[in-house]
Structure formats: C-alpha cells, structure tokens
Amino acid sequence: MLTPLEGVGPLRFGMSADEVRAALPEAVELSRFSAEPFSPEIYGLQLGFHPAVPAVYAYFEGTGRLFCVAADAVHGPRVTLDGLELTGRMPALLQKRVLDLHSSGTHHVSYGPRGNPGLNGIGMVLRSWTDHLRARPTH
C-alpha cells in the first residue's frame, strides 16, 4: 500500500539501505547501481523475490536515505492507493481512473515530459512498462 509522502508497503522514506533490506527479508539484493549519471552519490538497489527477477527498485540520496521506490510492473508487489491498484494495470485504464481522482478533486494530475501522469502533492508518477504495456508506480 502506498502511503503518500511516507512510504510504500514496509518501506519508509528516510530508511538506510540496511533498513530497506531488513524490511524486505524475503527479497534478495540483485544489484546496486548509479541512479543518476550527473549525481554519482544517488544510487539504487534492485531487489527481487526470485533470483534474477527484479521486483522493487529503491533509490537513495547522497546521505544514504531512501527517497524513491518503484515497483516492477510485472514482477513487483501490488501497490494500491485509496483502493486503486496501481501496479501492472493497462496504462489506458489506469489513466482513466487517475483522471477520475483528479475530477473528483481527490488528487491533482499533471503529465511529465515523457507523457507519464503524476499525482501532484503525493510525489507519484505512473510509468508505463512498454514491453508488456503495464503500469509501474514510482513514488
């Protein structure tokens, strides 16, 4: 479950990499990578619940604190917001539901430079997984 501006599932923003691994004891660290070419201090952990199958990406700032979580669209855990399942959905259907949230005044929606809808105020972007046309929530 996504808790806006606080975390995703058992992961809380501000955790260290060790705390993230402890919060997901069934996950295996598949890789550690530089997340931003112009800011080498920003890095990511690729975690999976099965060998060589990425499920969760955790991103850390220069101080080593978690600031972003992305669930893999195909193999990641199901992420919900206000009862709306965000992970692995067809982008067109999910976009309609997100726009319904916007119309109801619950959340304000804007689009990024790649055309991905984002929910302003909670810092979430819905990215499309193009190989399978499934949504990948990034918060």
Side-chain angles (χ1 to χ4, degrees), residues 97-110:
R97 293 290 310 273
V98 167
L99 290 174
D100 289 344
L101 291 174
H102 177 78
S103 296
S104 72
T106 307
H107 296 285
H108 178 73
V109 177
S110 65

Side-chain angles (χ1 to χ4, degrees), residues 16-72:
S16 68
D18 288 339
E19 290 170 324
V20 166
R21 284 188 290 272
L24 297 173
E26 65 281 4
V28 175
E29 184 177 323
L30 301 174
S31 72
R32 182 180 211 148
F33 56 93
S34 176
E36 175 58 51
F38 300 108
S39 299
E41 71 278 3
I42 297 176
Y43 69 95
L45 293 180
Q46 183 185 63
L47 304 163
F49 301 106
H50 303 287
V53 180
V56 175
Y57 298 83
Y59 297 90
F60 300 85
E61 61 176 341
T63 64
R65 297 294 168 195
L66 181 69
F67 76 91
C68 179
V69 175
D72 184 84

Side-chain angles (χ1 to χ4, degrees), residues 54 71-76 78 87-88 129 132 134-135:
D72 184 84
V74 177
H75 303 288
R78 303 292 71 140
T87 313
W129 179 267
H132 301 283
R134 298 285 186 244

